[in-house]
């Protein structure tokens, strides 16, 4: 059983990384790493506003402006840890956590559907390997593909920036796990719908839609409903119950819609909170604790439990579906 | 005592149901294959052959009856461990070399790394693919792909090998090699369950045959049993007369005219009646130039069994 599991994982990972998209992705990852070998920092003052910020140069030509000011406290020089953390967060949240996950979905979307294809499914299922193991190995292979690509970007850039800036913070590498965890939920949802709909395209479209829906619920709660509730609570505290009736959308925030969003918020995975985890890993715990809004919305236990629950439910249903399916 | 390798007992499979149309792909078939036999399952398109194989492999579940593989319920892990299967059109991993592809299938069959390497190399050589073992499977011809398909089924040395159209896409030399391989397996005690359209091939290889039509076994038994129906001879004579022909009609079950007046086909009740035919002809001074027994071919049995019904049964599993 274990040999079969490893066999399928190796087969899928090898096939994906040696494929055209895999090679192109690896090349793109290596380009990002190479760029990190040419990182330089400038201190820039914007003429119009007089605001100071840092500029990152890559090999002297390409630049990224408006990076948080990387000046040491005494003002004498640059603080490379700021640039290091900023680059780590940007790479983990955007390059790996967004682009990387999309590429991962494209690379792995056909795993379960091609495993169910006629001429292929017989070759696997006629062997003494339990069907749930087939599902889990296809799933694990997807995680490994994304893990390898993320590790190349994050590990390579960590090494390059370590050489360039002299910063070797291990927290920089933690987002590898966070990105894989993020992909784990997305791909479990994708796999479930690809199995249900028997089409690989569903393994890309549904997870993207699902992630967007989760993000919308989060934003609705964090940036819309919660501030209204706070306003209502503070007014009522000051002036007594019913005094906040004039606050726009108060009934919506406090009523059924608000409660529904609250329930969805607890139940659904929390995409933007994964970015908070990345921030925590790259900048340190203080980065969350210093920001009141972040601190309030950040609940690692809930992130982990709701994500794990989704993962287990989706994978469990996938295993059951595949187990009872007739080919 | 012989051991039963495959046993279908009143096996039924109905597709569809609930609110859709139902199709009865197998209508309670019973098949028994002994260890070491080469068994041929024949049938026209949509007869239910693929469904029978799928039930044997556990790819779908029976609606009624039972199927066992060496006493284990078909589809269980223990049963599958004893099977090597080659589908009709195997989708092989095109990005892997022949050697790596076989090693991959060896891993799925639970072989250790060393066993996988050894067996893959051995079977590549055995199937005449040793020289292209390091080439990607995607570059292989159809025949080479077919050979790899057969090799992956035999890699873990299973006691039961299920082959679906194994010679499809092979040239005459390749077909002959596969036939030799089948005999070699039989000699070793391996049971072969052959699903094929090629009647000549089945006739040359199989010990037992079953003809499946619209989900039912319409004819089955050993090849000898199926082919030895009646004694049939082609007579070539010189100076045939109407009187002699009249006498022949009294002796034979049936007398058919040949291409010329001096050629006849006679069907007799038993081989011993040939003497009577010869005596009758000689008594009328008819010269006998030849008495050739006509051997019935499996194709004739097959067409007879279908009773002229060539309509396709058709069900979701069928792809034949």
């Amino acid at each position: 059983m274990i040999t079969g599991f490893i066999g399928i994982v190796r087969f899928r990972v090898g096939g994906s990384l040696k494929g055209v998209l895999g090679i192109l992705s690896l090349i793109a990852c290596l380009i990002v790493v190479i760029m990190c070998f040419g990182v330089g920092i400038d201190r820039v003052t914007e003429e119009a506003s007089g605001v100071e910020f840092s500029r990152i140069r890559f090999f002297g030509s390409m630049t990224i402006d408006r990076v948080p000011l990387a000046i040491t406290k005494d003002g004498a020089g640059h603080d490379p840890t700021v640039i290091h953390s900023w680059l780590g967060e940007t790479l983990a949240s955007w390059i790996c956590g967004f682009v990387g996950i999309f590429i991962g979905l494209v690379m792995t979307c056909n795993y379960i559907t091609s495993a169910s294809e006629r001429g292929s499914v017989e070759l696997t299922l006629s062997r003494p390997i339990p069907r749930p193991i087939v599902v889990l190995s296809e799933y694990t292979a997807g995680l490994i593909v994304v893990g390898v690509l993320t590790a190349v970007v994050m590990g390579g850039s960590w090494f390059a920036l370590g050489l360039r800036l002299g910063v070797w913070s291990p927290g920089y590498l933690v987002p590898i796990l966070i990105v894989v965890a993020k992909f784990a939920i997305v791909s479990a949802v994708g796999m479930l719908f690809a199995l249900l709909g028997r089409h690989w395209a569903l393994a890309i479209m549904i997870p993207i839609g699902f992630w967007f829906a989760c993000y919308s619920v989060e934003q609705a709660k964090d940036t819309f409903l919660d501030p209204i509730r706070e306003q209502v609570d503070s007014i009522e505290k000051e002036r007594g119950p019913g005094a906040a009736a004039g606050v726009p959308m108060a009934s919506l925030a406090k009523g059924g819609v608000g409660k529904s969003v609250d329930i969805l918020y607890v139940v659904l995975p929390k995409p933007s909170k994964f970015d908070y985890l990345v921030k925590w890993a790259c900048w340190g715990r203080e980065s969350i604790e210093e920001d009141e809004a972040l601190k309030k919305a950040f609940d690692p236990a809930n992130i982990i439990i709701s994500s794990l629950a989704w993962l287990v439910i989706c994978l469990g249903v996938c295993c059951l579906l595949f187990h009872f399916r007739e080919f | 005592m012989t051991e039963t390798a495959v046993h279908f007992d009143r096996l039924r499979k109905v597709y569809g149901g609930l609110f859709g149309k139902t199709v009865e792909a197998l209508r309670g078939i019973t098949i028994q294959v002994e260890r070491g036999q080469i068994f041929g399952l024949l049938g026209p398109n949509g007869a239910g052959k693929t469904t029978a194989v799928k039930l044997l492999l556990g790819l779908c579940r029976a609606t009624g009856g039972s199927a066992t593989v060496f006493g284990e319920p078909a589809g269980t892990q223990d049963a599958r461990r004893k099977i090597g299967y080659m589908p009709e059109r195997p989708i092989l991993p095109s990005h892997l070399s022949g050697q790596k592809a076989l090693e991959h299938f060896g891993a799925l069959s639970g072989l250790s790394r060393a066993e996988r390497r050894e067996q893959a190399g051995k079977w590549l050589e055995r199937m005449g693919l040793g020289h292209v073992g390091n080439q990607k499977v995607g570059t292989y011809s159809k025949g080479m792909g077919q050979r790899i398909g057969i090799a992956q089924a035999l890699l873990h040395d299973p006691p039961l090998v299920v082959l679906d159209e194994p010679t499809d896409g092979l040239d005459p030399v390749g077909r002959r090699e596969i036939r030799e391989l089948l005999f070699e397996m039989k000699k070793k005690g391996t049971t072969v369950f052959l699903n094929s359209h090629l009647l000549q091939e089945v006739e040359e290889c199989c010990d037992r045959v079953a003809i499946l039509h619209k989900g039912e076994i319409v004819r089955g038994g050993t090849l000898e049993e199926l082919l030895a129906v009646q004694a049939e001879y082609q007579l070539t004579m010189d100076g045939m007369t109407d009187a002699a022909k009249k006498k022949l009609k009294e002796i034979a079950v049936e007398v058919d005219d040949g291409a010329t007046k001096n050629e006849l086909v006679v069907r007799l009740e038993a081989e011993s009646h040939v003497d009577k035919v010869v005596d009758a002809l000689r008594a009328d001074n008819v010269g006998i130039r030849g008495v050739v027994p006509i051997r019935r071919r499996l194709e004739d049995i097959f067409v007879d069994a279908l009773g002229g019904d060539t309509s396709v049964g058709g069900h979701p599993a069928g792809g034949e």
Side-chain angles (χ1 to χ4, degrees):
Chain A
M1 195 196 292
I2 292 169
T3 322
F5 177 86
I6 296 170
I8 294 177
V9 170
R10 277 184 59 175
F11 168 68
R12 286 298 187 194
V13 173
S16 289
L17 294 178
K18 286 177 192 165
V20 177
L21 191 57
I23 291 170
L24 287 176
S25 304
L26 280 170
I27 291 171
C29 293
L30 288 173
I31 289 172
V32 171
V33 173
I34 290 166
M35 283 176 75
C36 290
F37 275 105
V39 160
I41 313 164
D42 293 332
R43 182 177 177 170
V44 181
T45 308
E46 201 173 59
E47 279 180 23
S49 60
V51 174
E52 281 192 322
F53 58 88
S54 299
R55 172 187 286 157
I56 300 176
R57 277 179 289 106
F58 296 98
F59 293 109
S61 53
M62 284 176 288
T63 56
I64 300 177
D65 285 343
R66 294 208 154 273
V67 176
L69 198 59
I71 308 292
T72 49
K73 278 177 187 166
D74 59 6
H78 295 287
D79 182 358
T81 55
V82 175
I83 297 300
H84 189 267
S85 302
W86 186 86
L87 274 172
E89 187 191 353
T90 307
L91 287 176
S93 294
W94 291 99
I95 304 294
C96 299
F98 192 75
V99 183
I101 283 184
F102 179 73
I103 290 171
L105 280 175
V106 174
M107 283 171 82
T108 61
C109 64
N110 69 336
Y111 280 9
I112 200 69
T113 46
S114 68
S116 317
E117 218 176 320
R118 192 165 179 205
S120 173
V121 70
E122 297 95 329
L123 291 174
T124 311
L125 298 188
S126 64
R127 295 186 148 79
I129 178 164
R131 291 190 185 189
I133 294 292
V134 175
V135 172
L136 294 176
S137 52
E138 301 283 1
Y139 177 74
T140 309
L143 301 191
I144 291 175
V145 167
V146 170
V148 167
L149 294 177
T150 311
V152 171
V153 172
M154 296 308 292
S157 60
W158 175 76
F159 182 69
L161 294 175
L163 290 179
R164 287 291 295 177
L165 307 173
V167 182
W168 297 96
S169 162
Y172 188 98
L173 297 172
V174 174
I176 297 172
L177 296 176
I178 299 170
V179 171
V180 173
K182 207 168 165 181
F183 182 76
I185 303 162
V186 176
S187 89
V189 173
M191 185 178 251
L192 175 60
F193 281 90
L195 261 178
L196 282 171
R198 299 179 191 230
H199 200 286
W200 59 266
L202 294 172
I204 303 177
M205 293 185 313
I206 299 285
I208 291 173
F210 174 76
W211 211 236
F212 181 73
C214 295
Y215 188 79
S216 303
V217 168
E218 257 188 303
Q219 293 309 306
K221 183 179 182 299
D222 292 345
T223 62
F224 178 66
L225 296 175
D226 280 355
I228 294 174
R229 283 178 192 143
E230 276 171 27
Q231 201 184 344
V232 169
D233 288 345
S234 69
I235 290 172
E236 286 185 344
K237 203 175 168 187
E238 256 178 45
R239 303 182 205 162
V247 175
M249 305 281 191
S251 58
L252 190 83
K254 286 273 192 179
V257 174
K259 280 172 188 154
S260 304
V261 171
D262 284 344
I263 292 168
L264 284 173
Y265 180 84
V266 173
V267 171
L268 290 173
K270 295 153 190 69
S272 65
K273 303 300 182 295
F274 276 91
D275 294 339
Y276 291 179
L277 283 175
V278 169
K279 197 179 184 70
W280 186 1
C282 292
W283 292 91
R285 196 188 174 94
E286 311 78 53
S287 64
I288 302 286
E289 285 175 348
E290 281 167 6
D291 186 323
E292 268 309 309
L294 283 188
K295 195 180 166 187
K296 214 171 154 194
F298 188 60
D299 179 2
N302 185 256
I303 298 171
I304 292 166
I305 291 168
S306 60
S307 303
L308 262 180
W310 271 91
L311 206 147
V312 170
I313 290 168
C314 287
L315 278 185
V317 177
C318 282
C319 289
L320 284 173
L321 274 176
F322 202 68
H323 182 73
F324 289 109
R325 178 159 290 178
E326 297 205 333
F327 293 96
Chain B
M1 202 178 110
T2 53
E3 189 186 356
T4 302
V6 176
H7 188 211
F8 289 168
D9 184 19
R10 287 163 289 166
L11 194 62
R12 275 186 73 229
K13 176 64 189 172
V14 179
Y15 287 106
L18 280 181
F19 307 110
K21 189 183 157 198
T22 59
V23 178
E24 195 166 6
L26 291 179
R27 299 160 188 259
I29 63 165
T30 297
I31 291 175
Q32 188 156 326
V33 185
E34 306 300 338
R35 182 191 268 274
Q37 278 185 340
I38 302 182
F39 177 84
L41 186 62
L42 303 174
N45 292 341
K49 302 191 301 286
T50 303
T51 300
V53 170
K54 283 183 176 180
L55 288 168
L56 186 64
L57 300 170
L59 292 173
C60 56
R61 276 171 289 280
T63 312
S66 66
T68 57
V69 177
F70 292 103
E72 303 283 352
T76 58
Q77 246 177 285
D78 285 335
R80 281 183 283 152
R81 199 166 279 124
K82 293 169 183 162
I83 301 178
Y85 175 59
M86 191 208 122
E88 189 180 349
R89 291 181 200 97
I91 297 178
L92 299 163
S94 54
H95 67 280
L96 296 181
S97 67
Q99 172 81 22
K100 292 283 174 202
L102 289 183
E103 285 182 21
H104 164 64
F105 289 117
L108 296 188
S109 296
L111 297 183
S112 69
R113 188 185 286 255
E115 284 172 328
R116 292 200 294 261
R117 281 208 183 132
E118 193 198 325
Q119 289 293 93
K122 182 185 126 186
W123 279 104
L124 278 172
E125 288 297 333
R126 177 66 186 82
M127 301 307 290
L129 297 171
H131 62 296
V132 287
N134 291 322
Q135 271 181 32
K136 287 195 174 169
V137 172
T139 64
Y140 284 9
S141 67
K142 193 181 175 196
M144 289 156 101
Q146 198 75 356
R147 285 162 195 255
I148 283 280
I150 295 172
Q152 63 78 28
L154 304 173
L155 206 64
H156 55 295
D157 201 14
L160 170 66
V161 178
V162 182
L163 303 173
D164 209 343
E165 303 291 356
T167 54
D168 191 26
L170 293 181
D171 56 24
V173 178
R175 288 181 181 206
R176 192 173 162 180
E177 283 172 8
I178 299 305
R179 275 201 298 276
E180 283 168 8
L181 181 67
L182 293 181
F183 289 129
E184 201 179 291
M185 285 195 278
K186 180 181 156 68
K187 221 171 171 180
K188 242 178 67 185
T190 305
T191 312
V192 181
F193 193 102
L194 196 63
N195 199 351
S196 180
H197 281 115
L198 299 171
L199 299 174
Q200 191 194 338
E201 219 156 74
V202 171
E203 196 174 339
E204 285 174 30
C205 305
C206 293
D207 302 307
R208 286 182 75 85
V209 168
I211 300 173
L212 197 60
H213 183 43
K214 291 189 173 170
E216 285 178 90
I217 301 283
V218 287
R219 203 65 66 84
T222 62
L223 270 178
E224 289 75 24
E225 284 166 4
L226 288 174
L227 298 175
V229 180
Q230 278 170 326
E232 212 170 41
Y233 295 88
Q234 176 159 7
L235 307 177
T236 312
M237 295 143 304
D238 192 11
M240 183 64 180
T241 62
D242 286 342
K245 194 174 177 182
K246 202 176 166 190
K247 277 186 189 171
L248 284 188
K249 282 185 177 170
E250 286 167 12
I251 300 164
V253 176
E254 202 178 327
V255 178
D256 291 332
D257 291 333
T260 65
K261 193 189 168 191
N262 284 319
E263 281 177 7
L264 287 175
V265 174
V266 292
R267 197 166 294 139
L268 306 172
E269 260 179 29
E271 281 181 13
S272 59
H273 289 199
V274 177
D275 295 341
K276 287 183 187 172
V277 170
V278 172
D279 290 347
L281 291 171
R282 290 303 302 139
D284 272 18
N285 285 325
V286 176
I288 299 170
R289 297 290 170 264
V291 180
V292 181
I294 298 172
R295 191 171 183 265
R296 294 196 82 198
R297 316 257 342 146
L298 189 58
E299 192 178 322
D300 304 322
I301 309 291
F302 184 76
V303 173
D304 277 357
L306 301 192
D309 179 8
T310 52
S311 61
V312 175
H315 49 79
E320 316 103 312

